Amino acid sequence: MDNTPSVAVLIIFFEKPEQTIESIRSFAHTPTHIYVLNNGSGKKTSTLVKSETAGIENLTFIHSRKNMGPAWGRNKLIEYTSEDWLFFSDNDITVDPHIHWLTLFQQALEENPGIRIFLPHLYNVHEKTFCSHPAFNHENGTIHLIEAGKDSTNYFPSGASIVSRGIFNKYGLFDNRLFAFEDYEYAIRALLSDKEPLQAIEINNISLIHDHQPAHRSSDKKAVRFRYNEKLLKKSFNRILQKHDINFDHNWQWWSKKQLFEMTKMKRELNPEK
């Protein structure tokens, strides 16, 4: 009997075609289906991505004429798929090609039968370190980001995680009205609900490489500026506060300015250390 879990890989891209192609190709060596949403990219970018991945059989493209944002875009992919597990990956992330991640994920499922969210080990190239995921704490009407426990956290990054479809059946989809911070809102929503908070554990033997490469072409720089548009980010952050009637202790402005600088101003070393 085949116990291979039913997994769909979900990737969204807005410009940055080379990294999108690399991301798709990194997942193509397993028999999982890859669903890719072109989230408002120009015709030249779309054509390049499709032509460079044309030989991949287990690949489905979905197109949106406008950029719906990450939350709405991921919801569109969720609704398009039927697999039991959803592997979310940003288009500047690749999975380590030297491992068979599907086999490792199957082993993790067998060892942790009650867990419905798994977090692959995420290496940030620009920071030269592995990502440390936060946890969420609610106290006196304020949400705080705290250090996660050794074994689990109540949050998952929406662009680097493997999530059971049952989670979205239980808590609903991402908030379409958010342009950003959709994974923060999701963790807060679960934490404040009458259901139990999210529980996610890391799979340290599945490695993802997150590479915020500097944008060079004008279309890519435009895409980065759109992704970290301060007005759109502020609107999303305020939406979370109003929706849940909370305060949220988070300096998102520092984070967004740092991301924008790294991808539009900094120059990558010729041989970056990975």
Side-chain angles (χ1 to χ4, degrees):
M1 183 177 178
D2 185 9
N3 293 322
T4 304
S6 170
V7 184
V9 175
L10 278 55
I11 300 172
I12 298 175
F13 75 94
F14 178 51
E15 303 302 340
K16 304 182 74 173
E18 288 82 6
Q19 284 200 275
T20 303
I21 294 164
E22 185 180 6
S23 178
I24 294 171
R25 287 176 174 171
S26 75
F27 284 96
H29 67 285
T30 57
T32 50
H33 203 94
I34 306 169
Y35 298 85
V36 179
L37 172 64
N38 173 15
N39 204 14
S41 302
K43 184 176 181 181
K44 183 180 292 187
T45 293
S46 178
T47 300
L48 178 60
V49 172
K50 291 190 72 173
S51 65
E52 291 298 315
T53 58
I56 301 174
E57 294 183 0
N58 56 328
L59 178 61
T60 297
F61 277 99
I62 306 161
H63 296 275
S64 173
R65 292 184 178 180
K66 68 175 183 178
N67 189 321
M68 300 183 292
W72 193 0
R74 290 191 173 100
N75 285 343
K76 187 175 181 68
L77 285 172
I78 293 170
E79 293 171 341
Y80 202 92
T81 62
S82 60
E83 286 82 354
D84 296 330
W85 291 89
L86 307 171
F87 195 153
F88 295 98
S89 176
D90 283 341
N91 68 320
D92 55 3
I93 286 178
T94 55
V95 65
D96 188 336
H98 301 104
I99 62 172
H100 196 285
W101 64 263
L102 186 58
T103 299
L104 296 176
F105 175 56
Q106 180 176 341
Q107 293 172 357
L109 276 179
E110 293 171 352
E111 294 169 2
N112 304 277
I115 299 298
R116 292 295 174 262
I117 306 173
F118 295 87
L119 310 180
H121 218 193
L122 183 64
Y123 182 80
N124 286 319
V125 173
H126 50 295
E127 296 176 358
K128 298 182 180 179
T129 186
F130 284 96
C131 177
S132 178
H133 298 296
F136 285 73
N137 178 59
H138 178 235
E139 187 176 359
N140 298 324
T142 299
I143 295 292
H144 300 275
L145 293 179
I146 61 175
E147 185 177 348
K150 182 179 179 181
D151 299 320
S152 66
T153 181
N154 58 2
Y155 156 83
F156 67 90
S158 60
S161 53
I162 308 174
V163 184
S164 167
R165 181 177 297 277
I167 290 294
F168 296 102
N169 293 336
K170 184 174 183 178
Y171 300 98
L173 297 176
F174 295 113
D175 186 339
N176 279 344
R177 292 179 59 183
L178 293 175
F179 175 77
F181 310 121
E182 71 280 358
D183 43 12
Y184 281 12
E185 189 280 329
Y186 207 88
I188 293 169
R189 186 196 313 174
L191 183 63
L192 299 180
S193 72
D194 56 359
K195 306 175 179 69
E196 66 269 22
L198 302 175
Q199 183 181 15
I201 66 169
E202 285 198 8
I203 313 178
N204 292 329
N205 54 2
I206 298 180
S207 296
L208 300 180
I209 301 169
H210 189 199
D211 191 359
H212 274 173
Q213 292 182 10
H216 299 295
R217 60 165 62 89
S218 59
S219 59
D220 290 345
K221 288 185 178 181
K222 183 179 179 180
V224 171
R225 293 189 183 101
F226 181 74
R227 174 65 180 87
Y228 297 102
N229 180 285
E230 186 170 350
K231 288 184 178 179
L232 292 173
L233 296 179
K234 185 177 182 179
K235 184 177 180 180
S236 292
F237 192 80
N238 288 340
R239 159 74 176 163
I240 296 175
L241 305 185
Q242 294 165 6
K243 179 178 180 178
H244 297 292
D245 191 23
I246 55 165
N247 296 312
F248 188 4
D249 183 21
H250 181 49
N251 185 9
W252 62 267
Q253 293 94 336
W254 173 86
W255 164 82
S256 64
K257 289 176 181 177
K258 180 175 181 288
Q259 302 292 82
L260 186 61
F261 175 78
E262 288 176 346
M263 286 183 275
T264 59
K265 304 295 183 182
M266 290 184 68
K267 294 182 179 180
R268 172 59 55 81
E269 302 169 19
L270 291 179
N271 294 298
E273 189 178 320
K274 292 190 177 184

